Amino acid sequence: MARRKYVVGNWKMNGGSAAIGEAEAIFAAAAPHTSVDVAICPPFTLIGTLAAALPGATIGGQDCHHAASGAFTGSVAAPMLVDAGATLVIVGHSERRDGCGETDADVQAKAEAALGAGLTVILCVGEPRAVRESGGAIDHVLAQVAGSLPAAFAANRLAIAYEPIWAIGTGLVPTVADVEAMHGAIRAALATRFGGAAQEMRILYGGSVNGENAAELLGARDVDGALVGGASLTAGKFVPIIAAAAELAG
Ligand code: 13P
């Protein structure tokens, strides 16, 4: 079945009120590309502002806590994201798995909390450089998928993002053959676990996607979209990626 292309900007810890105009420009330019789903995940501080300024736009968080409320200083709960106007959240980004010590079990709990709060989820997986070089990338990523996916969910509520850690922010990208091998392996694992629903789940690629390489990466087999960091911060860099997705969607 045809899966709609999904292009998501992860602004990471970038952007304040000065970036509102950039988000407006991105969604204005994306609007004619009706064959592509577009979302921006700004810092928590901008979610409410962007959701209010851009009704109908998909705005997401970059993380959430697994609990709905409580004594967790500095954390943000999934229902709070919903309250602020988010409809989506990223969980399990490598900058949280590695930087904040999040385990597969933590990521699974966050994904379950997010789905329970009514959010859709982008669940990130990806291998470090040493694992890629040792030939263990597919096993590593499939173990993350097995350990961090919730037990049950609707196929249209959760997407997986394959982000090789060594490709994030480095300008390095895997070969198309390696991307297809990884996405195919993830799809096969999903099919084993969830049957036909695996054909409906979107698997995004992330890591140094830009306007030049987007068509090739987004055109690869089993690549249903892109999770974009640096090149999502400005309309000038992000819109060509959205346009490349639209071109492929036809
Ligand atoms: P870059 O696009 O900056 O490499 O970041 C990718 C990423 O981590 C998106 O979540």
Side-chain angles (χ1 to χ4, degrees):
M1 65 159 287
R3 293 174 294 267
R4 284 172 61 82
K5 297 280 188 209
Y6 195 14
V7 179
V8 182
N10 173 10
W11 281 11
K12 308 192 179 186
M13 199 172 71
N14 298 290
S17 48
I20 296 168
E22 212 63 56
E24 287 171 341
I26 288 167
F27 281 107
H33 298 302
T34 53
S35 57
V36 180
D37 294 331
V38 176
I40 291 179
C41 299
F44 289 134
T45 48
L46 272 183
I47 290 173
T49 314
L50 291 191
L54 294 159
T58 301
I59 305 297
Q62 300 170 13
D63 179 42
C64 66
H65 199 274
H66 64 81
S69 64
F72 301 106
T73 301
S75 294
V76 173
M80 294 172 175
L81 294 178
V82 174
D83 186 55
T87 55
L88 159 73
V89 68
I90 297 168
V91 297
H93 194 283
S94 62
E95 286 152 19
R96 298 209 57 89
R97 287 179 185 266
D98 291 354
C100 307
E102 290 184 8
T103 64
D104 285 340
D106 293 330
V107 175
Q108 183 184 47
K110 287 170 183 236
E112 283 172 354
L115 292 168
L119 295 163
T120 62
V121 170
I122 295 176
L123 192 154
C124 302
V125 292
E127 82 284 357
R129 180 193 297 269
V131 171
R132 166 61 62 180
E133 286 171 354
S134 73
I138 289 182
D139 286 348
H140 180 94
V141 166
L142 293 188
Q144 287 182 318
V145 169
S148 42
L149 271 185
F153 52 88
N156 64 353
R157 303 277 314 284
L158 186 144
I160 289 176
Y162 168 56
E163 299 204 308
I165 297 171
W166 50 272
I168 294 176
T170 58
L172 301 172
V173 288
T175 63
V176 167
D178 282 344
V179 172
E180 290 185 339
M182 182 63 78
H183 282 229
I186 295 171
R187 179 94 53 211
L190 295 173
T192 300
R193 189 160 158 190
F194 301 110
Q199 297 306 318
E200 294 168 44
M201 289 182 62
R202 292 190 284 199
I203 306 173
L204 316 186
Y205 168 79
S208 296
V209 177
N210 58 41
E212 283 76 57
N213 62 24
E216 189 178 30
L217 289 164
L218 286 163
R221 190 172 58 246
D222 275 313
V223 175
D224 305 312
L227 183 55
V228 186
S232 71
L233 293 172
T234 62
K237 290 191 170 163
F238 197 36
V239 173
I241 299 171
I242 298 166
E247 183 108 350
L248 287 160

